[in-house]
């Protein structure tokens, strides 16, 4: 059974389309009009081995907040849709990833319960024009829309780009681990019988 999703969201502030294949090869086709976010989502696709298309536009003349948050919502909805009843998946994923002098860890649970714990202290406020505070907003939107528990922590780092990249690569690898099918799991991995 194909584990794919197509999400479209159009509001007065943003216009977004997401296509996701959980069992892809890591192909990312990303065009959000925010170059730094494009970079982070491209490496998420690659390191998660997801085929991911994201196109988006919005009121970035005001700022990037609405578009970044709404892309997080759409990506979260895409994961929830592609996973369906979540039968046979590993459920939990953890990854710690270095990027030069930076180290980040992500732990997640495809639990059906939205939660974000986020701990990242960047030395800079921006990378070019991208406001680094929006990374937290992206992950909060993703966790809320996907129904996942998500812990994101940058243990240390000096270069803000490296810190962000380590975070997104860890996110991708933890997602890949959590959504992998395991032939030994019958139904869902929960004593409740549902996720």
């Amino acid at each position: 059974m194909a584990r794919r999703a197509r999400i479209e969201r159009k509001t007065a502030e943003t216009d977004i389309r997401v296509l996701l294949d959980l069992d892809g090869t890591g192909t990312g086709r990303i065009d959000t009009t925010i170059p730094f976010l494009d970079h982070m989502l491209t490496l998420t696709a690659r390191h998660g081995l997801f085929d991911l298309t994201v196109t988006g536009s919005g009121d970035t003349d005001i700022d990037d907040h609405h578009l970044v948050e709404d892309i997080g919502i759409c990506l979260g909805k895409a994961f929830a849709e592609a996973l369906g009843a979540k039968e046979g998946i590993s459920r939990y994923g953890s990854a710690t990833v270095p990027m030069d002098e930076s180290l980040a860890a992500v732990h997640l649970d495809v639990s059906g319960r939205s939660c974000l714990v986020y701990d990242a202290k960047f030395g800079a406020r921006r990378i070019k024009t991208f406001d680094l505070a929006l990374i937290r907003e992206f992950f909060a939107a993703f966790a809320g829309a996907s129904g996942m528990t998500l812990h994101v922590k940058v243990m240390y780092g000096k270069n803000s780009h490296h810190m962000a990249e380590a975070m997104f690569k860890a996110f991708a690898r933890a997602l890949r681990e959590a959504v992998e099918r395991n032939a030994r799991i019958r139904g869902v991995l929960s004593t409740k019988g549902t996720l």
Side-chain angles (χ1 to χ4, degrees):
M1 178 168 77
R3 301 191 304 163
R4 296 186 181 117
R6 178 189 184 106
I7 303 294
E8 294 185 14
R9 176 182 169 99
K10 186 172 177 123
T11 71
E13 299 167 337
T14 63
D15 188 358
I16 299 161
R17 182 171 159 249
V18 172
L19 300 170
L20 172 66
D21 182 349
L22 296 179
D23 303 307
T25 60
T27 302
R29 293 179 188 89
I30 316 294
D31 182 10
T32 69
T33 72
I34 303 172
F36 185 75
L37 183 60
D38 290 355
H39 178 43
M40 295 298 108
L41 293 178
T42 298
L43 63 85
T44 298
R46 183 68 186 133
H47 290 272
L49 297 179
F50 310 120
D51 287 346
L52 178 63
T53 300
V54 180
T55 56
S57 60
D59 57 359
T60 53
D61 55 315
I62 296 170
D63 78 5
D64 294 342
H65 185 278
H66 295 144
L67 187 55
V68 171
E69 183 177 47
D70 286 4
I71 287 169
I73 290 169
C74 291
L75 190 59
K77 286 182 176 182
F79 270 86
E81 183 178 306
L83 286 168
K86 305 172 194 160
E87 294 179 346
I89 64 166
S90 295
R91 179 179 167 178
Y92 298 98
S94 293
T96 302
V97 172
M99 177 65 193
D100 294 348
E101 85 300 338
S102 300
L103 188 69
V106 172
H107 309 280
L108 62 87
D109 178 6
V110 185
S111 61
R113 296 182 306 279
S114 302
C115 177
L116 174 66
V117 177
Y118 181 87
D119 184 4
K121 293 169 184 66
F122 292 101
R125 180 159 185 251
R126 295 184 178 276
I127 294 177
K128 287 191 115 182
T129 61
F130 186 82
D131 182 352
L132 290 167
L134 295 179
I135 293 175
R136 185 195 182 287
E137 300 306 314
F138 170 83
F139 284 126
F142 177 87
S146 66
M148 291 187 199
T149 295
L150 180 60
H151 293 249
V152 180
K153 181 173 178 67
V154 175
M155 275 81 87
Y156 48 80
K158 293 182 180 172
N159 180 295
S160 294
H161 187 128
H162 295 168
M163 293 163 71
E165 191 161 324
M167 230 189 310
F168 274 87
K169 286 177 178 175
F171 173 61
R173 293 180 66 84
L175 275 171
R176 176 169 32 122
E177 183 178 299
V179 305
E180 281 182 342
R181 290 182 174 127
N182 184 325
R184 295 174 56 206
I185 298 170
R186 302 284 181 240
V188 295
L189 192 58
S190 171
T191 55
K192 292 182 211 152
T194 186
L195 289 173

